[in-house]
Amino acid sequence: RRLASKVAGNEEIIFPKDRKFTVSIEGNIGCGKTTLLEYFKKSAYVEAIKEPVQQWTNVQGHNALQLLYDNPSRWSFSFNMYAQLTRVQMHTKKHSKPVKMLERSLYSTRYCFVENDFRNKTITDLEYIILKEWFEFLTQKDETKLDLIVYLRAAPEVCYERIKKRSRMEESGVPFELIEALHDLHEEWLIDQTTFKLPAPVLVLDANNEYQQMTQIYEDRRQEILCGYN
Ligand code: DGT
């Protein structure tokens, strides 16, 4: 294997020459995905593509995220269809740096949110089938492949506290039960690996720690997070 090593500031990683790497950062609402992306955004190797939450709060004047939480049965299908579109846009964005880092992916929409909505009956059988068929079609494409998943694994209680603390207006009514259900689905998908097919190897990081410790973990495990190996 031919390796290229490059120093930018005080960072150094060993990366296969000409290799393009796509990593998706996954984990419950409030687990700290944005913080991780902000941290690696400073790296010369990384293009961090954040989830367009602001876009979801203003879809040509409609606050889709607010509607979703006000009336999940009415709006979950629309929201997931739109989230799926914005995720395809993230997946298909051309690599501008060796590592493309995504905040969530088509896979978490499908295996966590859509699955939760189906089990809760906030979407109908037909809506579930439509979302699934779109997902299956889209994930056959090369552009939607992932090389690595980083799972920020945090207790639902910790996530819930963080959500309350950051107090995003649309999320003021998010019930703890939703955070628990989404936690269980992330676990089912990324830890148990029994129900759904994994699109890439998984690196699990304990995300229960506070900011300082988390950034230390990111620093210590930089090579694994950005390249998938030590
Ligand atoms: P972080 O940085 O780990 O705290 O992450 P957040 O909370 O900024 O980002 P995320 O993706 O966990 O959630 C943002 C909001 O959007 C949250 O209220 C859940 C919702 N959301 C995100 N993706 C989807 C999706 O694919 N489907 C549905 N129904 N909701 C989603």
Side-chain angles (χ1 to χ4, degrees):
R1 183 163 57 181
R2 281 178 57 202
L3 298 175
S5 161
K6 192 171 142 193
V7 180
N10 60 357
E11 67 164 323
E12 182 167 15
I13 58 170
I14 302 166
F15 200 78
K17 226 182 172 145
D18 303 325
R19 176 82 202 273
K20 298 275 184 246
F21 197 80
T22 304
V23 49
S24 172
I25 312 303
E26 304 285 356
N28 210 341
I29 306 173
C31 72
K33 297 178 291 297
T34 308
T35 312
L36 186 151
L37 266 94
E38 283 295 325
Y39 182 82
F40 283 105
K41 210 170 86 177
K42 298 178 218 132
S43 165
Y45 298 95
V46 181
E47 182 184 15
I49 305 181
K50 288 213 255 161
E51 185 175 64
V53 178
Q54 275 162 359
Q55 196 178 325
W56 299 341
T57 61
N58 184 2
V59 186
Q60 299 193 24
H62 301 269
N63 187 338
L65 190 64
Q66 185 73 62
L67 291 168
L68 170 75
Y69 285 121
D70 286 349
N71 189 349
S73 301
R74 171 66 186 83
W75 294 108
S76 283
F77 176 74
S78 310
F79 191 91
N80 283 315
M81 278 301 288
Y82 195 65
Q84 190 158 249
L85 169 67
T86 58
R87 297 213 194 283
V88 178
Q89 290 166 339
M90 293 162 76
H91 279 281
T92 54
K93 194 163 185 295
K94 268 199 150 160
H95 276 260
S96 65
K97 308 240 177 102
V99 180
K100 196 163 92 170
M101 184 176 266
L102 308 179
E103 182 174 11
R104 291 199 187 277
S105 60
L106 279 170
Y107 303 90
S108 38
T109 291
R110 163 68 188 93
Y111 297 142
C112 301
F113 292 98
V114 170
E115 192 63 22
N116 182 54
D117 289 332
F118 177 64
R119 292 184 190 182
N120 272 339
K121 306 237 176 296
T122 41
I123 53 175
T124 64
D125 283 4
L126 176 61
E127 289 170 330
Y128 182 59
I129 291 163
I130 292 171
L131 285 160
K132 266 201 328 188
E133 288 196 8
W134 265 108
F135 168 80
E136 274 148 28
F137 174 73
L138 293 168
T139 50
Q140 281 163 18
K141 312 278 170 208
D142 276 350
E143 298 100 304
T144 57
K145 301 274 181 279
L146 297 176
D147 296 296
L148 179 71
I149 289 174
V150 173
Y151 175 27
L152 294 179
R153 190 182 194 198
E157 292 77 10
V158 171
C159 295
Y160 191 61
E161 280 311 310
R162 290 181 185 155
I163 294 167
K164 282 204 291 196
K165 216 159 140 193
R166 80 172 169 211
S167 56
R168 196 181 268 153
M169 196 242 303
E170 292 82 1
E171 292 173 348
S172 58
V174 169
F176 181 61
E177 292 69 38
L178 173 65
I179 303 306
E180 268 187 318
L182 289 173
H183 172 78
D184 291 347
L185 280 159
H186 279 85
E187 293 282 302
E188 196 173 324
W189 173 36
L190 299 171
I191 303 287
D192 307 339
Q193 303 177 9
T194 44
T195 323
F196 310 113
K197 213 172 132 232
L198 266 183
V202 184
L203 171 66
V204 183
L205 299 179
D206 181 350
N208 289 301
N209 301 298
E210 290 305 319
Y211 181 79
Q212 285 294 333
Q213 287 156 291
M214 288 314 299
T215 52
Q216 190 59 50
I217 294 173
Y218 301 154
E219 196 45 55
D220 295 344
R221 308 194 64 178
R222 165 184 291 270
Q223 175 82 35
E224 277 173 276
I225 295 169
L226 299 184
C227 316
Y229 58 84
N230 273 312

